[in-house]
Amino acid sequence: MGTSTEASLSRVERRKARTNKRLLEVARQLFSEKGIYWAKVEDITELADLGKGTFYKYFDSKEQIISALVEEGLSELLAKTEAAVLAVSTDGRIIPNVIGARVDFFLAYPDYLLLLHQVRGLMQLQVGVAEELRVIYAKHLSRIAKLVKPVIGSTSAHDVAVAIAAYTSGLMTYHLLFEGIEGIRRRRNELVLALDQSVQALLKAGRPRA
Amino acid sequence: MGTSTEASLSRVERRKARTNKRLLEVARQLFSEKGIYWAKVEDITELADLGKGTFYKYFDSKEQIISALVEEGLSELLAKTEAAVLAVSTDGRIIPNVIGARVDFFLAYPDYLLLLHQVRGLMQLQVGVAEELRVIYAKHLSRIAKLVKPVIGSTSAHDVAVAIAAYTSGLMTYHLLFEGIEGIRRRRNELVLALDQSVQALLKAGRPRA
Amino acid sequence: MGTSTEASLSRVERRKARTNKRLLEVARQLFSEKGIYWAKVEDITELADLGKGTFYKYFDSKEQIISALVEEGLSELLAKTEAAVLAVSTDGRIIPNVIGARVDFFLAYPDYLLLLHQVRGLMQLQVGVAEELRVIYAKHLSRIAKLVKPVIGSTSAHDVAVAIAAYTSGLMTYHLLFEGIEGIRRRRNELVLALDQSVQALLKAGRPRA
Amino acid sequence: MGTSTEASLSRVERRKARTNKRLLEVARQLFSEKGIYWAKVEDITELADLGKGTFYKYFDSKEQIISALVEEGLSELLAKTEAAVLAVSTDGRIIPNVIGARVDFFLAYPDYLLLLHQVRGLMQLQVGVAEELRVIYAKHLSRIAKLVKPVIGSTSAHDVAVAIAAYTSGLMTYHLLFEGIEGIRRRRNELVLALDQSVQALLKAGRPRA
DNA sequence: TATGAATGAGTGTTCATTCAT
DNA sequence: AATGAATGAACACTCATTCAT
């Protein structure tokens, strides 16, 4: 008994966990609103109602909180996706469910849409943080690839995973720009359907990978 | 005769045009390599072998050269796309040609892939430059929408244009990350085919827009 | 008891107050030595033995510290002047005492002589800070006008206040140039007398204002 | 005949003289409007409708055109003053005429009021240009001192010259700020009268200099 | 532990001055 | 002689990070 993660921690430890979480939430919001560059560490601590120095008790640097957010976000996204796959009735539902889970994740946490978009750009640069982020992202895609493996024919599972991720994020980001998050939310089913068809088309196509 | 634009300019004017072009090229390269934030104005002028002050004779600010690059890039991309549509034999070839033109543009100028990715992120932020960039981008998509109008059924032309842009940039950016530009170049035909099928699937789907 | 302003502040607060004061003092000195343009923010922080960034924790900008100095200086000058007027035996002593207080103020803080001279020039320019400074200065002169009102006949109190300020600053600045502060200090009584006679002449003249 | 300065110059030389004069005029105007620091060399050449490089054909530096303007201005002011003294009927009119000439000079060239005010500040600074300007100014005051010598008793002629200059510039500058140049122009006679009385009071006082 | 005052390297930008044409 | 493109030293100001309390 009493071995739940939360309960087993001392009051102090629970407090720390809460502060850590608040910093992550606030950072996610600000990175999405102002961009990872324009959002200042002080903006974060201020919105979190903490002293500026406190930030560095929880994260080594601004770069590191970005990594932490990406890790947390992709991990949560993966969890939701895996749950959606487990809930599947027939293999044919795997891909639409994966896509649905992704879309729903970004509808639930729209900040991640822009944060991850920025991070995908960052990853490609010849810049310090990039390498670590690349590893995190690659791992995520591998896991997605594994999930869809059962339903793809000769197509590369990795290519399909990439297509799912790329199409979903691409489409949602564009629509976010022109219609806002509410616009996307209203068209949720339509988007999932369209994305599913787009991805299915790839599979039928035989082998996008020669 | 002999009054080609170039020839009709004085030596000084030609020199200025060349400097302007060099700054744009160098900036595009550096923005793509280091990112629009980490690339410093001085990096640009240094690589262009110019004094730092010279930059400001040609562009009002760092932000403005980003706008200029986006405008130039999207304009070139549109021109290539329009040419590809004009070269079409049957209406059925319009979409594959549009996609092919986009893919080929980014293969020819891979720097734009990352630059435009970053700019799409920037556009969404509550930040100064954003508005101007949004207008430029929206205009571009409208023009693409017009080009594909003949071949879409009841689907929204704008949605199709968005899908083409989102899928193409999304897919190419992801692949760039994992395979490098040469990897994409080798798979060019395959990618165009896959993208075409993905987009065609949308059209057949009936109406992604309610 | 024991709740004097200083004592009631925490150590940190007292330290901050001291830093603020030191920055103002150093700035006043440097603005007077090198001029408000040639004195750099870094000169100020260096002489104050502080990091450059610290300046901006205390003042929004270089312009703002000028305003702050002017406000502080004129406020102190006014206080000294009011005290001198209160100490007056007969109304006839009001103007000489006002002049004496002004002269003594500038002898005590000679930096203000040149700083305010520069600021009076700045105020007249079509430049950002000007407006705020004009308001501060106008307020000061109004207060001086009020002080001298009892002893002027039909002459405009504002004109007399202006004459007092203009003559005093004008004369002291010129003499500062040719004789240095020590030269002025030695001639203190003579200058006060001369200035008093000059101002009294205006009053007897009837009405400098038509 | 034909030996007038103008006529004896070649066309080129006359053209150069005109350009030189235009630069001085424009500089005076801009230094007065925007301040000697905020007015840029390029502002001057632009308003003079000349190339930027041309400026340096006529003046060694921005500092030097300031010196040139001061020299020209004080020289003209002295000439006007000497003429006014020569036109005097009785010695008693010397000082009012000197003051009148000064006031009229500044009414005719109001730009000089602010330019010279700024320069008087500049002169006092521990800065490059200062020394040269001090010499020019000192010379001017000596000449004024000589003019008033006949009418002063035991008072130092230099002190009287300083008082004349200080009071006049001080009063006019203050009034310029609060009433504008037109306000001063309307009150011209009143001001001259007031200034005269103020200065006369000094003379009667016996010896402002111990 | 939490804080926020202090820091200073680093940035975009300006502008007096030069010099090739 | 006149020009204006090019220059780069210099500056105001920012902000991630540190550290004494």
Coordinates of all heavy atoms in Angstrom, one line a residue, chain C residues 32-35 37-38 114 117 120-126 137 141 159 162 165-167 170 173-175 177-178 187 190 194-195 197-198 201-202 205 208-210, chain D residues 32-35 37-38 114 117 120-126 137 141 159 162 165-167 170 173-174 176-178 187 190 194 197-198 201-202 205 208-210:
Chain C
S32 N 28.8 65.9 -16.8 CA 29.4 67.3 -16.7 C 30.8 67.3 -17.3 O 31.2 68.3 -17.9 CB 29.4 67.7 -15.2 OG 30.2 68.8 -15.0
E33 N 31.5 66.3 -17.1 CA 32.9 66.3 -17.6 C 33.0 66.1 -19.1 O 33.8 66.7 -19.8 CB 33.7 65.1 -16.9 CG 34.3 65.5 -15.6 CD 34.9 64.3 -14.9 OE1 35.2 63.3 -15.6 OE2 35.1 64.4 -13.7
K34 N 32.3 65.1 -19.6 CA 32.4 64.7 -21.0 C 31.2 65.1 -21.8 O 31.2 65.0 -23.0 CB 32.5 63.2 -21.1 CG 33.6 62.6 -20.2 CD 33.6 61.1 -20.5 CE 35.0 60.5 -20.2 NZ 35.2 59.2 -20.7
G35 N 30.1 65.5 -21.1 CA 28.9 65.9 -21.9 C 28.0 64.7 -22.0 O 28.4 63.5 -22.0
Y37 N 26.4 63.5 -24.4 CA 26.6 62.6 -25.5 C 27.9 61.8 -25.4 O 27.9 60.6 -25.5 CB 26.6 63.4 -26.8 CG 27.1 62.4 -27.9 CD1 26.3 61.3 -28.1 CD2 28.2 62.7 -28.7 CE1 26.7 60.3 -29.1 CE2 28.6 61.7 -29.6 CZ 27.9 60.6 -29.8 OH 28.3 59.7 -30.7
W38 N 29.0 62.4 -25.0 CA 30.2 61.7 -25.0 C 30.4 60.7 -23.9 O 31.2 59.8 -23.9 CB 31.4 62.7 -25.1 CG 31.6 63.2 -26.5 CD1 32.3 62.6 -27.5 CD2 31.1 64.4 -27.1 NE1 32.3 63.4 -28.7 CE2 31.6 64.5 -28.4 CE3 30.3 65.4 -26.6 CZ2 31.2 65.5 -29.3 CZ3 30.0 66.5 -27.4 CH2 30.4 66.5 -28.8
L114 N 26.8 72.5 -15.6 CA 27.0 72.1 -17.0 C 25.9 71.1 -17.4 O 25.5 71.1 -18.5 CB 28.4 71.5 -17.2 CG 29.4 72.5 -17.2 CD1 30.8 71.9 -17.3 CD2 29.2 73.5 -18.4
H117 N 22.9 73.1 -18.1 CA 23.1 73.9 -19.3 C 22.8 73.0 -20.6 O 22.1 73.4 -21.5 CB 24.5 74.4 -19.4 CG 24.8 75.2 -20.6 ND1 24.7 76.6 -20.6 CD2 25.2 74.9 -21.8 CE1 25.1 77.1 -21.8 NE2 25.4 76.0 -22.6
R120 N 19.2 72.3 -21.0 CA 18.4 73.4 -21.5 C 18.5 73.5 -23.0 O 17.6 73.9 -23.7 CB 18.8 74.8 -20.9 CG 18.3 75.0 -19.5 CD 18.4 76.4 -19.0 NE 19.7 76.9 -19.1 CZ 20.7 76.7 -18.1 NH1 20.3 76.0 -17.0 NH2 21.9 77.2 -18.2
G121 N 19.7 73.1 -23.5 CA 19.8 73.0 -25.0 C 19.0 71.9 -25.5 O 18.2 72.1 -26.5
L122 N 19.1 70.8 -24.9 CA 18.4 69.6 -25.3 C 16.9 69.8 -25.4 O 16.2 69.4 -26.3 CB 18.7 68.4 -24.3 CG 18.4 67.0 -24.7 CD1 19.0 66.7 -26.1 CD2 18.9 66.1 -23.7
M123 N 16.4 70.5 -24.4 CA 15.0 70.7 -24.3 C 14.4 71.4 -25.5 O 13.2 71.3 -25.8 CB 14.7 71.7 -23.1 CG 14.7 71.0 -21.7 SD 14.1 72.2 -20.5 CE 14.9 73.7 -20.9
Q124 N 15.2 72.2 -26.1 CA 14.7 73.0 -27.2 C 14.7 72.2 -28.6 O 14.1 72.7 -29.5 CB 15.6 74.2 -27.4 CG 15.9 74.9 -26.1 CD 15.4 76.4 -26.1 OE1 14.7 76.8 -26.9 NE2 15.9 77.1 -25.1
L125 N 15.3 71.1 -28.6 CA 15.5 70.4 -29.8 C 14.2 69.6 -30.1 O 13.4 69.2 -29.2 CB 16.7 69.4 -29.8 CG 18.0 70.1 -29.4 CD1 19.1 69.1 -29.3 CD2 18.3 71.2 -30.4
Q126 N 14.1 69.3 -31.4 CA 13.0 68.4 -31.8 C 13.5 67.0 -31.6 O 13.7 66.2 -32.6 CB 12.7 68.7 -33.3 CG 12.2 70.1 -33.5 CD 12.3 70.6 -34.9 OE1 12.6 69.8 -35.8 NE2 12.1 71.9 -35.2
Y137 N 11.2 71.3 -16.3 CA 11.8 72.7 -16.1 C 10.7 73.7 -15.9 O 10.9 74.6 -15.1 CB 12.6 73.0 -17.4 CG 14.0 73.4 -17.0 CD1 15.1 72.5 -17.1 CD2 14.3 74.7 -16.6 CE1 16.3 72.9 -16.8 CE2 15.6 75.1 -16.2 CZ 16.6 74.2 -16.3 OH 17.9 74.6 -16.0
L141 N 10.3 76.4 -12.7 CA 10.2 77.9 -12.8 C 8.9 78.4 -12.2 O 8.9 79.5 -11.6 CB 10.3 78.3 -14.3 CG 11.8 78.2 -14.8 CD1 11.8 78.5 -16.3 CD2 12.7 79.2 -14.1
D159 N 8.4 86.1 -15.5 CA 9.5 86.8 -16.1 C 10.6 87.0 -15.1 O 11.8 86.8 -15.5 CB 9.1 88.2 -16.7 CG 8.4 88.1 -18.0 OD1 8.3 86.9 -18.5 OD2 8.1 89.1 -18.6
V162 N 12.3 83.7 -14.5 CA 13.1 83.4 -15.7 C 14.4 84.2 -15.6 O 15.5 83.7 -15.8 CB 12.4 83.7 -17.0 CG1 13.3 83.8 -18.2 CG2 11.3 82.6 -17.2
A165 N 16.8 82.8 -13.0 CA 17.4 81.5 -13.5 C 18.4 81.8 -14.6 O 19.5 81.3 -14.6 CB 16.3 80.5 -13.9
A166 N 17.9 82.6 -15.6 CA 18.8 82.8 -16.7 C 20.0 83.5 -16.4 O 21.1 83.2 -16.8 CB 18.0 83.6 -17.8
Y167 N 19.9 84.6 -15.6 CA 21.1 85.4 -15.2 C 22.1 84.5 -14.4 O 23.3 84.5 -14.6 CB 20.7 86.6 -14.4 CG 20.0 87.7 -15.2 CD1 19.8 87.6 -16.6 CD2 19.7 88.9 -14.6 CE1 19.2 88.6 -17.3 CE2 19.1 90.0 -15.3 CZ 18.8 89.8 -16.6 OH 18.2 90.9 -17.3
G170 N 23.5 81.7 -16.5 CA 24.3 82.3 -17.6 C 25.6 82.8 -17.0 O 26.7 82.5 -17.5
T173 N 27.9 80.0 -15.6 CA 28.5 79.2 -16.6 C 29.6 79.9 -17.3 O 30.7 79.3 -17.6 CB 27.4 78.8 -17.6 OG1 26.3 78.1 -16.9 CG2 28.0 77.8 -18.7
Y174 N 29.4 81.2 -17.7 CA 30.5 81.9 -18.3 C 31.7 82.0 -17.4 O 32.9 81.8 -17.8 CB 30.0 83.3 -18.7 CG 29.5 83.5 -20.1 CD1 28.2 83.4 -20.4 CD2 30.4 83.8 -21.1 CE1 27.7 83.5 -21.7 CE2 30.0 84.0 -22.4 CZ 28.6 83.8 -22.7 OH 28.2 84.0 -24.0
H175 N 31.5 82.3 -16.2 CA 32.6 82.5 -15.3 C 33.3 81.1 -15.0 O 34.5 81.1 -14.9 CB 32.2 83.1 -13.9 CG 32.0 84.6 -14.1 ND1 32.9 85.4 -14.6 CD2 30.9 85.4 -13.8 CE1 32.5 86.7 -14.6 NE2 31.2 86.7 -14.1
L177 N 33.7 78.9 -17.1 CA 34.6 78.7 -18.2 C 36.0 79.4 -18.1 O 37.0 78.8 -18.3 CB 33.9 79.2 -19.5 CG 34.7 79.0 -20.8 CD1 35.0 77.5 -21.0 CD2 33.8 79.5 -22.0
F178 N 35.9 80.7 -17.6 CA 37.1 81.4 -17.6 C 37.9 81.4 -16.3 O 39.1 81.7 -16.3 CB 36.8 82.9 -18.0 CG 36.3 83.0 -19.5 CD1 35.0 83.5 -19.7 CD2 37.2 82.6 -20.5 CE1 34.6 83.5 -21.1 CE2 36.7 82.7 -21.8 CZ 35.4 83.1 -22.1
R187 N 34.4 84.6 -5.6 CA 33.7 85.8 -5.9 C 32.2 85.6 -5.5 O 31.4 86.4 -5.9 CB 33.8 86.1 -7.3 CG 35.2 86.5 -7.7 CD 35.3 86.7 -9.2 NE 34.6 87.8 -9.7 CZ 34.4 88.2 -11.0 NH1 35.1 87.5 -11.9 NH2 33.7 89.2 -11.3
E190 N 30.2 88.7 -4.3 CA 30.1 89.7 -5.3 C 29.1 89.3 -6.4 O 28.3 90.1 -6.9 CB 31.5 89.7 -5.9 CG 31.7 90.7 -7.1 CD 33.0 90.3 -7.8 OE1 34.0 90.0 -7.1 OE2 33.1 90.5 -9.0
A194 N 25.8 91.3 -7.5 CA 25.6 91.7 -8.8 C 24.3 91.2 -9.4 O 23.5 91.9 -10.0 CB 26.7 91.3 -9.7
L195 N 24.0 89.9 -9.2 CA 22.8 89.3 -9.7 C 21.6 90.0 -9.1 O 20.6 90.3 -9.8 CB 22.8 87.8 -9.5 CG 23.8 87.0 -10.4 CD1 24.0 85.6 -9.9 CD2 23.2 86.9 -11.8
Q197 N 21.3 93.0 -7.9 CA 21.1 94.3 -8.4 C 20.5 94.2 -9.8 O 19.6 95.0 -10.2 CB 22.4 95.1 -8.5 CG 22.8 95.5 -7.1 CD 24.3 95.9 -7.0 OE1 25.1 95.4 -7.8 NE2 24.6 96.7 -6.0
S198 N 21.0 93.3 -10.6 CA 20.5 93.1 -12.0 C 19.0 92.8 -12.0 O 18.2 93.3 -12.8 CB 21.2 92.0 -12.7 OG 22.6 92.5 -12.9
A201 N 16.9 95.7 -10.7 CA 16.7 96.8 -11.7 C 15.5 96.5 -12.6 O 14.8 97.3 -13.0 CB 18.0 96.8 -12.6
L202 N 15.3 95.2 -12.8 CA 14.1 94.8 -13.6 C 12.8 95.2 -13.0 O 11.8 95.7 -13.6 CB 14.1 93.3 -13.8 CG 15.1 92.7 -14.7 CD1 14.9 91.2 -14.8 CD2 15.1 93.3 -16.0
A205 N 12.1 98.9 -13.0 CA 11.9 99.3 -14.4 C 10.5 99.5 -14.7 O 10.1 100.0 -15.8 CB 12.6 98.3 -15.4
P208 N 8.7 95.0 -17.4 CA 9.4 94.3 -18.5 C 8.4 93.7 -19.4 O 8.6 93.5 -20.6 CB 10.3 93.3 -17.8 CG 10.5 93.8 -16.5 CD 9.3 94.6 -16.1
R209 N 7.2 93.3 -18.8 CA 6.2 92.8 -19.7 C 5.2 93.9 -19.9 O 4.7 94.6 -19.0 CB 5.4 91.6 -18.9 CG 4.1 91.3 -19.5 CD 3.8 89.8 -19.4 NE 4.1 89.1 -20.6 CZ 4.3 87.8 -20.7 NH1 4.4 87.1 -19.6 NH2 4.5 87.2 -21.9
A210 N 4.9 94.1 -21.2 CA 4.1 95.2 -21.6 C 2.7 95.2 -21.0 O 2.1 94.2 -21.0 CB 3.9 95.2 -23.1
Chain D
S32 N 20.8 73.6 -35.0 CA 19.8 74.3 -34.1 C 18.6 73.5 -34.0 O 18.0 73.4 -32.9 CB 19.5 75.7 -34.7 OG 18.4 76.2 -34.1
E33 N 18.1 72.8 -35.0 CA 16.9 72.0 -34.9 C 17.1 70.7 -34.2 O 16.3 70.3 -33.4 CB 16.4 71.7 -36.3 CG 15.6 72.8 -37.0 CD 15.2 72.5 -38.4 OE1 15.4 71.3 -38.8 OE2 14.8 73.4 -39.2
K34 N 18.2 70.0 -34.6 CA 18.3 68.7 -34.0 C 19.4 68.6 -33.0 O 19.6 67.5 -32.4 CB 18.6 67.7 -35.2 CG 17.7 67.7 -36.3 CD 18.1 66.7 -37.4 CE 17.0 66.3 -38.3 NZ 17.3 65.1 -39.0
G35 N 20.2 69.6 -32.9 CA 21.4 69.5 -32.0 C 22.6 69.1 -32.7 O 22.6 68.3 -33.7
Y37 N 24.8 67.0 -31.9 CA 25.1 65.6 -32.0 C 24.1 64.9 -32.9 O 24.5 64.1 -33.7 CB 25.1 65.0 -30.6 CG 25.1 63.5 -30.7 CD1 26.1 62.9 -31.4 CD2 24.1 62.7 -30.2 CE1 26.2 61.5 -31.6 CE2 24.1 61.4 -30.4 CZ 25.1 60.8 -31.1 OH 25.1 59.4 -31.3
W38 N 22.8 65.2 -32.7 CA 21.8 64.4 -33.5 C 21.7 64.7 -35.0 O 21.2 64.0 -35.7 CB 20.5 64.5 -32.8 CG 20.4 63.8 -31.5 CD1 20.0 62.4 -31.4 CD2 20.7 64.2 -30.2 NE1 20.1 62.0 -30.1 CE2 20.5 63.1 -29.3 CE3 21.1 65.4 -29.7 CZ2 20.7 63.2 -27.9 CZ3 21.4 65.5 -28.3 CH2 21.2 64.4 -27.4
L114 N 20.6 78.8 -30.3 CA 20.8 77.4 -29.8 C 22.1 76.8 -30.1 O 22.7 76.1 -29.4 CB 19.7 76.5 -30.4 CG 18.3 76.7 -29.7 CD1 17.3 75.8 -30.3 CD2 18.5 76.4 -28.2
H117 N 24.5 78.2 -27.7 CA 24.2 77.6 -26.4 C 24.9 76.3 -26.3 O 25.6 76.0 -25.3 CB 22.7 77.5 -26.2 CG 22.4 76.9 -24.8 ND1 22.1 77.7 -23.7 CD2 22.3 75.6 -24.4 CE1 21.8 76.9 -22.7 NE2 21.9 75.7 -23.1
R120 N 28.6 76.6 -26.0 CA 29.1 77.0 -24.7 C 29.2 75.8 -23.8 O 30.1 75.8 -22.9 CB 28.2 78.1 -24.1 CG 28.6 79.5 -24.7 CD 28.0 80.6 -23.9 NE 26.5 80.5 -23.7 CZ 25.6 80.9 -24.6 NH1 26.0 81.4 -25.7 NH2 24.3 80.7 -24.4
G121 N 28.3 74.9 -23.9 CA 28.4 73.7 -23.1 C 29.6 72.9 -23.6 O 30.4 72.4 -22.8
L122 N 29.7 72.7 -24.9 CA 30.8 71.9 -25.4 C 32.1 72.4 -25.0 O 33.0 71.6 -24.7 CB 30.6 72.0 -27.0 CG 31.4 71.0 -27.8 CD1 31.2 69.6 -27.3 CD2 31.0 71.1 -29.3
M123 N 32.3 73.7 -25.0 CA 33.6 74.3 -24.7 C 34.1 73.9 -23.3 O 35.3 73.9 -23.1 CB 33.3 75.9 -24.6 CG 33.3 76.6 -25.9 SD 33.4 78.4 -25.7 CE 32.4 78.7 -24.3
Q124 N 33.2 73.6 -22.4 CA 33.6 73.3 -21.1 C 34.0 71.9 -20.9 O 34.5 71.5 -19.8 CB 32.4 73.6 -20.1 CG 31.7 75.0 -20.4 CD 31.8 75.9 -19.3 OE1 32.5 75.7 -18.3 NE2 31.0 77.0 -19.4
L125 N 33.7 71.1 -21.8 CA 33.9 69.7 -21.6 C 35.4 69.3 -21.9 O 36.1 70.0 -22.6 CB 33.0 68.8 -22.6 CG 31.6 69.2 -22.5 CD1 30.8 68.3 -23.5 CD2 31.0 69.0 -21.1
Q126 N 35.7 68.2 -21.3 CA 37.1 67.6 -21.5 C 37.0 66.8 -22.8 O 37.1 65.6 -22.8 CB 37.5 66.8 -20.3 CG 37.6 67.6 -19.1 CD 37.6 66.8 -17.8 OE1 37.7 65.6 -17.9 NE2 37.4 67.4 -16.7
Y137 N 35.9 81.9 -28.5 CA 34.9 82.6 -27.6 C 35.6 83.7 -26.8 O 35.1 84.8 -26.6 CB 34.2 81.6 -26.7 CG 32.7 81.8 -26.8 CD1 32.0 80.9 -27.6 CD2 32.0 82.7 -26.1 CE1 30.6 81.0 -27.7 CE2 30.6 82.9 -26.2 CZ 29.9 82.0 -27.0 OH 28.6 82.1 -27.1
L141 N 34.8 87.8 -26.6 CA 34.5 88.6 -25.3 C 35.5 89.7 -25.1 O 35.1 90.8 -24.6 CB 34.4 87.6 -24.1 CG 33.2 86.8 -24.1 CD1 33.3 85.7 -23.0 CD2 31.9 87.6 -24.0
D159 N 34.3 91.6 -17.1 CA 33.1 91.1 -16.3 C 31.8 91.7 -17.0 O 30.8 91.0 -17.0 CB 33.2 91.6 -14.9 CG 34.0 90.7 -14.0 OD1 34.6 89.7 -14.6 OD2 34.2 90.9 -12.8
V162 N 31.1 89.9 -20.1 CA 30.6 88.6 -19.8 C 29.1 88.7 -19.4 O 28.3 88.0 -19.8 CB 31.4 87.9 -18.6 CG1 30.6 86.8 -18.0 CG2 32.7 87.4 -19.2
A165 N 26.9 89.3 -22.4 CA 26.8 88.1 -23.2 C 25.9 87.1 -22.4 O 25.0 86.5 -23.0 CB 28.1 87.5 -23.5
A166 N 26.2 86.9 -21.2 CA 25.5 85.9 -20.4 C 24.1 86.2 -20.2 O 23.2 85.4 -20.4 CB 26.2 85.7 -19.0
Y167 N 23.8 87.4 -19.8 CA 22.4 87.8 -19.6 C 21.6 87.7 -20.9 O 20.5 87.2 -21.0 CB 22.3 89.3 -19.1 CG 22.7 89.5 -17.7 CD1 23.2 88.4 -16.9 CD2 22.6 90.7 -17.1 CE1 23.6 88.6 -15.5 CE2 23.0 90.9 -15.7 CZ 23.5 89.8 -15.0 OH 23.8 90.0 -13.6
G170 N 21.3 84.1 -22.0 CA 20.5 83.4 -21.1 C 19.0 83.7 -21.2 O 18.2 82.8 -21.3
T173 N 17.5 82.6 -24.5 CA 17.3 81.2 -24.7 C 16.1 80.7 -23.8 O 15.3 79.9 -24.3 CB 18.6 80.5 -24.2 OG1 19.7 80.9 -25.0 CG2 18.5 79.0 -24.4
Y174 N 16.0 81.2 -22.6 CA 14.9 80.8 -21.8 C 13.5 81.2 -22.4 O 12.6 80.5 -22.5 CB 15.0 81.5 -20.4 CG 15.6 80.6 -19.3 CD1 16.9 80.7 -19.1 CD2 14.8 79.7 -18.6 CE1 17.5 79.9 -18.1 CE2 15.4 78.9 -17.6 CZ 16.7 79.0 -17.3 OH 17.3 78.2 -16.3
L176 N 13.0 81.9 -25.5 CA 12.8 81.1 -26.7 C 12.0 79.8 -26.4 O 11.1 79.4 -27.1 CB 14.1 80.8 -27.4 CG 14.1 79.9 -28.7 CD1 13.3 80.7 -29.8 CD2 15.5 79.6 -29.2
L177 N 12.4 79.2 -25.3 CA 11.8 77.9 -25.0 C 10.4 78.1 -24.7 O 9.5 77.2 -25.1 CB 12.6 77.4 -23.7 CG 12.1 76.0 -23.2 CD1 12.2 75.0 -24.2 CD2 12.9 75.6 -22.0
F178 N 10.0 79.1 -23.9 CA 8.6 79.2 -23.5 C 7.7 80.0 -24.4 O 6.5 79.9 -24.4 CB 8.6 79.8 -22.1 CG 9.2 78.8 -21.1 CD1 10.4 79.2 -20.4 CD2 8.7 77.6 -20.8 CE1 10.9 78.3 -19.4 CE2 9.2 76.7 -19.9 CZ 10.4 77.1 -19.2
R187 N 8.6 91.2 -28.0 CA 9.0 91.8 -26.8 C 10.4 92.4 -26.9 O 11.1 92.7 -25.9 CB 9.0 90.8 -25.7 CG 7.6 90.3 -25.4 CD 7.6 89.2 -24.3 NE 8.1 89.7 -23.0 CZ 8.3 88.9 -22.0 NH1 7.9 87.7 -22.0 NH2 8.7 89.5 -20.8
E190 N 11.3 95.7 -25.0 CA 11.2 95.4 -23.6 C 12.4 94.7 -23.1 O 13.0 95.0 -22.0 CB 9.9 94.6 -23.4 CG 9.6 94.2 -22.0 CD 8.6 93.1 -22.0 OE1 7.6 93.2 -22.9 OE2 8.7 92.2 -21.2
A194 N 15.2 95.9 -20.4 CA 15.5 95.1 -19.2 C 16.9 94.7 -19.1 O 17.6 94.9 -18.0 CB 14.6 93.9 -19.2
Q197 N 19.0 97.8 -18.2 CA 19.0 98.1 -16.8 C 19.7 97.2 -15.9 O 20.4 97.5 -14.9 CB 17.5 98.2 -16.3 CG 16.8 99.4 -16.9 CD 15.3 99.3 -16.9 OE1 14.8 98.2 -16.9 NE2 14.6 100.4 -16.9
S198 N 19.6 95.9 -16.2 CA 20.3 94.9 -15.5 C 21.8 95.1 -15.5 O 22.6 95.0 -14.5 CB 20.0 93.5 -16.0 OG 18.6 93.2 -15.7
A201 N 22.9 98.3 -13.7 CA 22.9 98.1 -12.2 C 24.3 97.6 -11.8 O 24.7 98.0 -10.7 CB 21.8 97.2 -11.8
L202 N 24.9 96.8 -12.6 CA 26.2 96.3 -12.2 C 27.2 97.4 -12.1 O 28.1 97.4 -11.3 CB 26.7 95.3 -13.3 CG 25.9 94.0 -13.4 CD1 26.6 93.1 -14.5 CD2 25.9 93.3 -12.1
A205 N 26.8 99.6 -9.2 CA 27.1 98.9 -8.0 C 28.5 99.1 -7.4 O 28.8 98.7 -6.3 CB 26.9 97.4 -8.2
P208 N 31.8 95.0 -9.0 CA 31.5 93.6 -8.9 C 32.8 92.8 -8.7 O 32.8 91.7 -8.2 CB 30.9 93.3 -10.2 CG 30.3 94.6 -10.7 CD 31.2 95.7 -10.1
R209 N 33.9 93.4 -9.2 CA 35.2 92.7 -9.0 C 35.8 93.4 -7.8 O 36.0 94.6 -7.8 CB 36.1 92.9 -10.2 CG 37.6 92.5 -9.9 CD 38.2 91.9 -11.1 NE 38.4 90.5 -10.9 CZ 38.5 89.6 -11.9 NH1 38.4 90.0 -13.1 NH2 38.6 88.3 -11.6
A210 N 36.2 92.6 -6.8 CA 36.7 93.2 -5.6 C 38.0 94.0 -5.9 O 38.9 93.6 -6.6 CB 37.1 92.0 -4.7

